[in-house]
Amino acid sequence: MGTNSPLPHIHENMDDIGGAPKDRLVSILDCIETHVEQLRKDALRIEEAKDTLLTTLDTLRNNDVFVNLEETDRDDILRYAERLSMRCLTVDVLVKVQRDDVQQDALHQVNGLIDSLVMGLRNDPSATRQRCASFMNACSSQGESEHCDKMFENAILGCTLDDQKRIKKRLQGLLDYIDKVHTITLE
């Protein structure tokens, strides 16, 4: 169901709809459920877009092209990137995922490991890409088990299924970005 579909309406006179009262109400609730799921998908998509933008801005600040700029140019670019980061942070979309303490700790550990990837990009993009790929392999049952990061695998297995899906998308986005930046640097 697309986002342009009309929202279900509750008529004051439910007799016009037909069918047993319970069936009519269940039909309306089914329609609302479809809209709720679409709302969650849209919010997750926006949340992912925000994360991608912030990751790109962080990575640009650590890019060799940025580091090699003259100080005045670097300051201008840094202010511009910081302004964009702050503007991006004004968008606050939250889709709550129910987690127990173990799942929350696992997610915290996974996020720390991914953050270390982003920080390592500037110093060693090749090793960072390889490590990111080993994280991706840990996310996939089809991944090559000898080429996956065991610590990351243990951490991600403690996360909720929704978190695992989002983490895999985040890692894929980071891999794509590393490949794109590495290609640009080589040209």
Side-chain angles (χ1 to χ4, degrees), residues 35-79:
H35 285 281
V36 167
E37 288 308 309
Q38 186 60 50
L39 179 65
R40 286 178 56 85
K41 285 179 186 176
D42 291 345
L44 285 170
R45 182 183 46 76
I46 291 169
E47 196 174 53
E48 288 172 9
K50 176 184 171 182
D51 288 344
T52 299
L53 289 170
L54 290 171
T55 299
T56 301
L57 287 166
D58 283 342
T59 306
L60 285 174
R61 286 185 205 122
N62 293 312
N63 188 293
D64 286 339
V65 174
F66 171 75
V67 173
N68 293 329
L69 288 174
E70 291 182 27
E71 187 174 346
T72 55
D73 291 340
R74 192 170 49 241
D75 289 344
D76 289 344
I77 297 296
L78 186 60
R79 278 194 299 278

Coordinates of all heavy atoms in Angstrom, one line a residue, residues 35-79:
H35 N -1.3 0.9 7.4 CA -0.7 2.3 7.4 C 0.4 2.4 8.5 O 1.4 3.2 8.3 CB -1.8 3.3 7.7 CG -2.7 3.5 6.5 ND1 -2.3 4.3 5.4 CD2 -3.9 3.0 6.2 CE1 -3.3 4.3 4.5 NE2 -4.2 3.5 4.9
V36 N 0.2 1.8 9.6 CA 1.2 1.9 10.7 C 2.5 1.3 10.2 O 3.6 1.8 10.4 CB 0.7 1.2 12.0 CG1 1.9 0.9 13.0 CG2 -0.4 2.0 12.7
E37 N 2.4 0.1 9.5 CA 3.6 -0.5 9.0 C 4.3 0.3 8.0 O 5.5 0.4 7.9 CB 3.3 -1.9 8.5 CG 3.0 -2.9 9.6 CD 4.1 -3.0 10.7 OE1 5.3 -3.1 10.3 OE2 3.8 -2.9 11.8
Q38 N 3.5 1.0 7.1 CA 4.1 1.9 6.1 C 4.8 3.1 6.8 O 5.8 3.5 6.4 CB 3.0 2.3 5.1 CG 3.6 3.2 4.0 CD 4.6 2.4 3.1 OE1 4.3 1.3 2.7 NE2 5.7 3.0 2.9
L39 N 4.1 3.6 7.8 CA 4.7 4.7 8.6 C 6.1 4.3 9.2 O 7.0 5.1 9.1 CB 3.8 5.1 9.7 CG 4.2 6.3 10.6 CD1 4.4 7.6 9.8 CD2 3.2 6.5 11.7
R40 N 6.1 3.1 9.7 CA 7.4 2.6 10.3 C 8.5 2.5 9.2 O 9.6 2.9 9.4 CB 7.2 1.3 11.0 CG 6.5 1.4 12.3 CD 6.2 0.0 13.0 NE 7.5 -0.7 13.2 CZ 8.3 -0.6 14.2 NH1 8.0 0.2 15.2 NH2 9.4 -1.4 14.3
K41 N 8.1 1.9 8.1 CA 9.1 1.8 7.0 C 9.6 3.2 6.5 O 10.8 3.3 6.2 CB 8.4 1.0 5.8 CG 8.2 -0.4 6.0 CD 7.6 -1.1 4.8 CE 7.3 -2.5 5.0 NZ 6.5 -3.1 3.9
D42 N 8.7 4.1 6.4 CA 9.1 5.5 5.9 C 10.0 6.1 6.9 O 11.0 6.7 6.6 CB 7.8 6.3 5.7 CG 7.0 5.9 4.5 OD1 7.5 5.1 3.7 OD2 5.8 6.4 4.4
A43 N 9.7 6.0 8.2 CA 10.5 6.5 9.3 C 11.9 5.9 9.3 O 12.9 6.6 9.4 CB 9.8 6.4 10.6
L44 N 11.9 4.6 9.1 CA 13.2 3.9 9.1 C 14.1 4.3 7.9 O 15.3 4.5 8.0 CB 13.0 2.4 9.0 CG 12.6 1.7 10.3 CD1 12.2 0.3 10.1 CD2 13.7 1.8 11.3
R45 N 13.4 4.5 6.7 CA 14.1 5.0 5.5 C 14.7 6.4 5.8 O 15.8 6.7 5.4 CB 13.1 5.0 4.4 CG 13.8 5.4 3.0 CD 12.7 5.5 1.9 NE 11.5 6.2 2.2 CZ 11.4 7.5 2.3 NH1 12.4 8.3 2.2 NH2 10.2 8.1 2.6
I46 N 13.9 7.3 6.4 CA 14.4 8.6 6.7 C 15.6 8.5 7.8 O 16.6 9.2 7.6 CB 13.3 9.5 7.3 CG1 12.3 9.8 6.1 CG2 13.8 10.8 7.9 CD1 11.0 10.4 6.6
E47 N 15.4 7.7 8.7 CA 16.5 7.5 9.7 C 17.8 7.0 9.1 O 18.9 7.5 9.4 CB 16.0 6.5 10.8 CG 16.8 6.5 12.1 CD 16.1 5.6 13.1 OE1 15.9 4.4 12.8 OE2 15.9 6.1 14.2
E48 N 17.7 6.1 8.2 CA 18.8 5.5 7.4 C 19.5 6.6 6.6 O 20.7 6.7 6.5 CB 18.4 4.3 6.6 CG 18.1 3.1 7.3 CD 17.5 2.0 6.5 OE1 17.5 2.1 5.2 OE2 17.1 1.0 7.0
A49 N 18.6 7.4 5.9 CA 19.2 8.5 5.1 C 20.0 9.5 6.0 O 21.0 10.0 5.6 CB 18.0 9.2 4.4
K50 N 19.4 9.8 7.2 CA 20.1 10.7 8.1 C 21.5 10.1 8.5 O 22.5 10.8 8.5 CB 19.3 11.0 9.3 CG 19.9 11.8 10.4 CD 19.0 11.9 11.6 CE 19.8 12.6 12.8 NZ 19.0 12.6 14.0
D51 N 21.5 8.8 8.9 CA 22.7 8.2 9.3 C 23.7 8.2 8.1 O 24.9 8.4 8.4 CB 22.4 6.7 9.7 CG 21.7 6.6 11.1 OD1 21.7 7.6 11.8 OD2 21.2 5.6 11.4
T52 N 23.3 7.9 6.9 CA 24.2 7.9 5.8 C 24.8 9.3 5.6 O 26.0 9.4 5.3 CB 23.4 7.5 4.5 OG1 22.9 6.2 4.7 CG2 24.3 7.5 3.3
L53 N 24.0 10.4 5.7 CA 24.5 11.7 5.5 C 25.5 12.0 6.6 O 26.6 12.6 6.3 CB 23.4 12.7 5.6 CG 22.4 12.7 4.4 CD1 21.2 13.6 4.6 CD2 23.2 13.2 3.1
L54 N 25.2 11.7 7.8 CA 26.2 12.0 8.9 C 27.5 11.2 8.8 O 28.6 11.7 9.0 CB 25.5 11.7 10.3 CG 24.4 12.7 10.7 CD1 23.7 12.2 11.9 CD2 25.0 14.1 10.9
T55 N 27.4 9.9 8.3 CA 28.6 9.1 8.1 C 29.4 9.7 7.0 O 30.6 9.8 7.1 CB 28.2 7.7 7.8 OG1 27.4 7.1 8.9 CG2 29.4 6.8 7.5
T56 N 28.7 10.2 5.9 CA 29.4 10.8 4.8 C 30.2 12.0 5.2 O 31.3 12.2 4.9 CB 28.5 11.1 3.6 OG1 27.8 9.9 3.2 CG2 29.2 11.7 2.5
L57 N 29.5 12.8 6.0 CA 30.1 14.1 6.5 C 31.4 13.8 7.4 O 32.4 14.4 7.3 CB 29.1 14.9 7.3 CG 28.1 15.6 6.4 CD1 27.0 16.2 7.2 CD2 28.8 16.8 5.6
D58 N 31.2 12.8 8.3 CA 32.3 12.4 9.1 C 33.5 11.9 8.3 O 34.7 12.2 8.6 CB 31.9 11.3 10.1 CG 31.1 11.8 11.3 OD1 31.2 13.1 11.5 OD2 30.4 11.0 12.0
T59 N 33.2 11.1 7.3 CA 34.2 10.5 6.5 C 34.9 11.6 5.6 O 36.2 11.5 5.5 CB 33.7 9.4 5.5 OG1 33.0 8.5 6.4 CG2 34.7 8.7 4.8
L60 N 34.2 12.5 5.2 CA 34.8 13.6 4.4 C 35.8 14.4 5.2 O 36.8 14.9 4.7 CB 33.7 14.6 3.8 CG 32.9 14.0 2.6 CD1 31.8 15.0 2.3 CD2 33.8 13.8 1.5
R61 N 35.4 14.6 6.5 CA 36.3 15.3 7.4 C 37.7 14.6 7.6 O 38.7 15.2 7.9 CB 35.7 15.6 8.7 CG 34.6 16.6 8.7 CD 34.1 16.9 10.1 NE 32.7 17.4 10.0 CZ 31.7 16.8 10.6 NH1 31.8 15.8 11.3 NH2 30.5 17.4 10.4
N62 N 37.7 13.3 7.4 CA 38.9 12.5 7.6 C 39.5 12.2 6.2 O 40.5 11.4 6.2 CB 38.6 11.3 8.4 CG 38.2 11.6 9.8 OD1 38.9 12.4 10.4 ND2 37.1 11.0 10.2
N63 N 39.0 12.7 5.1 CA 39.5 12.3 3.8 C 40.8 13.0 3.5 O 41.0 14.2 4.0 CB 38.5 12.7 2.8 CG 38.8 12.3 1.4 OD1 39.8 12.7 0.8 ND2 38.0 11.4 0.9
D64 N 41.7 12.4 2.8 CA 43.0 13.0 2.5 C 42.9 14.3 1.7 O 43.7 15.2 1.9 CB 43.9 12.0 1.7 CG 44.4 10.8 2.6 OD1 44.5 11.0 3.8 OD2 44.7 9.8 2.0
V65 N 41.9 14.4 0.9 CA 41.7 15.6 0.1 C 41.5 16.8 1.1 O 42.1 17.9 0.9 CB 40.6 15.5 -0.9 CG1 40.3 16.8 -1.6 CG2 40.9 14.4 -1.9
F66 N 40.7 16.5 2.1 CA 40.4 17.6 3.1 C 41.6 17.9 3.9 O 41.9 19.1 4.1 CB 39.2 17.1 4.0 CG 39.0 18.0 5.2 CD1 38.4 19.2 5.0 CD2 39.4 17.7 6.4 CE1 38.2 20.1 6.1 CE2 39.2 18.5 7.5 CZ 38.6 19.7 7.3
V67 N 42.3 16.9 4.3 CA 43.5 17.1 5.2 C 44.6 17.9 4.5 O 45.3 18.7 5.0 CB 44.0 15.7 5.7 CG1 45.3 15.9 6.4 CG2 43.0 15.1 6.6
N68 N 44.7 17.7 3.1 CA 45.7 18.3 2.4 C 45.4 19.7 1.9 O 46.2 20.4 1.2 CB 46.1 17.4 1.2 CG 46.7 16.1 1.6 OD1 47.4 16.1 2.6 ND2 46.5 15.1 0.8
L69 N 44.2 20.2 2.2 CA 43.8 21.6 1.9 C 44.7 22.6 2.7 O 45.1 22.3 3.7 CB 42.4 21.8 2.1 CG 41.3 21.2 1.2 CD1 39.9 21.4 1.8 CD2 41.4 21.6 -0.2
E70 N 44.7 23.8 2.1 CA 45.4 24.9 2.9 C 44.5 25.2 4.1 O 43.3 24.9 4.1 CB 45.5 26.1 2.0 CG 46.5 26.0 0.9 CD 46.6 27.3 0.1 OE1 46.3 28.4 0.6 OE2 46.9 27.2 -1.1
E71 N 45.1 25.7 5.1 CA 44.4 25.9 6.4 C 43.1 26.7 6.3 O 42.1 26.3 6.8 CB 45.3 26.5 7.5 CG 44.7 26.5 8.8 CD 45.6 27.0 9.9 OE1 46.8 27.0 9.7 OE2 45.1 27.3 11.0
T72 N 43.1 27.8 5.5 CA 41.9 28.6 5.4 C 40.8 27.9 4.6 O 39.7 28.0 5.0 CB 42.3 30.0 4.7 OG1 42.9 29.7 3.4 CG2 43.2 30.8 5.5
D73 N 41.2 27.2 3.6 CA 40.2 26.4 2.8 C 39.7 25.3 3.7 O 38.5 25.0 3.7 CB 40.8 25.8 1.6 CG 41.2 26.8 0.5 OD1 40.6 27.9 0.6 OD2 42.0 26.6 -0.4
R74 N 40.5 24.6 4.5 CA 40.1 23.5 5.4 C 39.2 24.1 6.4 O 38.1 23.4 6.7 CB 41.4 22.9 6.0 CG 41.1 21.6 6.7 CD 42.3 20.8 7.2 NE 43.3 21.6 7.9 CZ 44.5 21.8 7.5 NH1 45.0 21.3 6.4 NH2 45.3 22.6 8.2
D75 N 39.4 25.3 7.0 CA 38.5 25.9 8.0 C 37.2 26.1 7.3 O 36.1 25.9 8.0 CB 39.1 27.1 8.5 CG 40.3 26.9 9.5 OD1 40.5 25.7 9.9 OD2 41.0 27.8 9.7
D76 N 37.2 26.7 6.1 CA 35.9 26.9 5.4 C 35.1 25.7 5.2 O 33.9 25.6 5.5 CB 36.1 27.6 4.1 CG 36.6 29.0 4.2 OD1 36.5 29.6 5.3 OD2 37.1 29.5 3.1
I77 N 35.8 24.6 4.7 CA 35.1 23.4 4.5 C 34.6 22.7 5.8 O 33.5 22.2 5.9 CB 36.0 22.4 3.7 CG1 36.4 22.9 2.3 CG2 35.4 21.0 3.6 CD1 35.2 23.1 1.4
L78 N 35.4 22.8 6.8 CA 35.0 22.3 8.1 C 33.8 23.0 8.7 O 32.9 22.3 9.2 CB 36.2 22.4 9.1 CG 36.0 21.7 10.4 CD1 35.8 20.2 10.3 CD2 37.2 21.9 11.3
R79 N 33.8 24.3 8.6 CA 32.6 25.0 9.0 C 31.3 24.6 8.2 O 30.2 24.5 8.8 CB 32.8 26.5 8.9 CG 33.6 27.1 10.1 CD 33.5 28.6 10.2 NE 34.1 29.3 9.0 CZ 35.4 29.5 8.8 NH1 36.2 29.2 9.7 NH2 35.8 30.1 7.7

